[in-house]
Amino acid sequence: MKTLIHPTAVIHPGADLHPSVQVGPYAVIGEHVKVGSETIIGAHVVLDGSTEIGVGNHIFPGAAIGLEPQDLKYKGAVSYVKIGDNNRIREYVTINRATGAGEATIIGNNNLLMAYAHVAHNCVIEDFVVIANAVAMAGHVHIESRATIGGVLGIHQFVHIGRLAMVGGMSRIDRDVPPYMLVEGSPARVRSLNLIGLKRAGIAEIDDGKVFQTFKKAFRTLYRSDLTLNQALEKLDLLQDNEHLQHLRQFLQLSQMPGRRGLIPGRTLDTRSDE
C-alpha cells in the first residue's frame, strides 16, 4: 500500500490516513489531519490544521485546506475544517479553518468546488452543491443543499443561500438568496424561479405537479405583486402547504432576524418589515 504515497510527499507521522488514500507528488500533510478511505490527494496539495476529510473525496493539485483563517480576530485557537464524503475539490481551491476555539468550517457530501474557489472561515456548505470557478466566499456564509453558484462572483460574509437556488455568474451577492430562486446581477436581483433546478430535483412531478404550481403562485405573490414582505408571507400561509413551501417561508422569516443580512430583492418585493 505504500506505493499509493509518492516518495516526494511530506506527511507528518501524526497524520491519520487510511491505507487506501492516494497522495501525489510534493503534497504536504500536517500532524492533525485525518483522511478517510479511497480519497485521492493530488500533487502539491497542502492539508494542515485540525482537518477531517471523509471517504471517496478527490482533491486536485494545488488545493490548500485547513490553513489559518484570513481573519485578524484569529489568535491561534484550535479550530477545524470538516469535510464529508465524495466531494470534488478542484485545482487551487482554498478552505480555511474556523476562527473561534472549537468552531468549524464545514463541507458536506457530494459537492463540486471548481478551481480557485475560496471557502473562508466558519462557512457551511451542505450537500450536492456546485460552486463554479473563482467564487470567493467571505466568513460565515451558509449554502444549503443543491444550490448552484455561478463563476467569478463574491459572496458577502454571513450571507445564506437557500436550497436549490441558482446564482448567475459575475453577480454581487450581499444579501440572502431565497431557496428555489434564480438570482443574478450587480446588484443582484431575484429574476425567476429556478425552473430547471426544480425540474431536475423532481419537484415538478410531486403530487401531479401541484407543488410546482404552488411555487409559481408563491413567486407571483412575492415578486409580482405590490405587497411588503410581511404581507406576502401572510398570503403564502393561504397556499396549499408542503415541505418545500414551509422551507421557503421559514427562510424568508429567518432572513429578517438580527444578525442576518436580509433578502436580495426582486422586481417588486419590498423586503422591509411593516414596522
Side-chain angles (χ1 to χ4, degrees), residues 59-235:
I59 304 172
F60 284 75
I65 299 172
L67 279 71
E68 292 186 3
Q70 299 176 118
D71 185 347
L72 294 176
K73 299 188 297 298
Y74 181 70
K75 304 301 181 183
V78 177
S79 58
Y80 302 90
V81 168
K82 298 184 178 182
I83 297 175
D85 303 333
N86 302 314
N87 296 286
R88 297 295 175 264
I89 299 172
R90 296 300 307 235
E91 296 83 356
Y92 302 101
V93 167
T94 52
I95 304 173
N96 293 161
R97 63 182 184 262
T99 295
E103 297 175 348
T105 301
I106 298 173
I107 311 291
N109 305 313
N110 301 291
N111 299 295
L112 170 60
L113 280 65
M114 297 187 195
Y116 294 96
H118 173 66
V119 183
H121 62 89
N122 297 87
C123 286
V124 175
I125 298 173
E126 296 185 7
D127 304 326
F128 295 99
V129 173
V130 176
I131 297 175
N133 299 288
V135 171
M137 283 163 270
H140 299 273
V141 166
H142 188 129
I143 302 179
E144 295 182 350
S145 294
R146 297 188 180 275
T148 301
I149 314 298
V152 196
L153 61 80
I155 305 175
H156 196 284
Q157 61 188 14
F158 293 101
V159 159
H160 287 227
I161 295 178
R163 179 193 303 171
L164 270 168
M166 170 70 193
V167 179
M170 303 184 71
S171 299
R172 177 166 64 88
I173 306 303
D174 61 352
R175 283 175 278 180
D176 291 353
V177 174
Y180 315 109
M181 302 297 168
L182 188 153
V183 165
E184 64 87 27
S186 183
R189 294 290 183 266
V190 176
R191 307 297 178 179
S192 68
L193 282 171
N194 181 17
L195 296 172
I196 293 176
L198 290 170
K199 290 176 181 177
R200 287 177 176 172
I203 291 176
E205 286 77 40
I206 295 176
D207 197 15
D208 295 326
K210 291 180 182 178
V211 171
F212 195 57
Q213 293 303 316
T214 298
F215 264 118
K216 290 184 176 181
K217 292 177 182 177
F219 177 82
R220 288 194 293 269
T221 299
L222 288 165
Y223 300 106
R224 296 296 183 263
S225 67
D226 293 322
L227 302 175
T228 66
L229 176 59
N230 287 346
Q231 291 169 341
L233 288 172
E234 291 178 0
K235 291 285 188 180

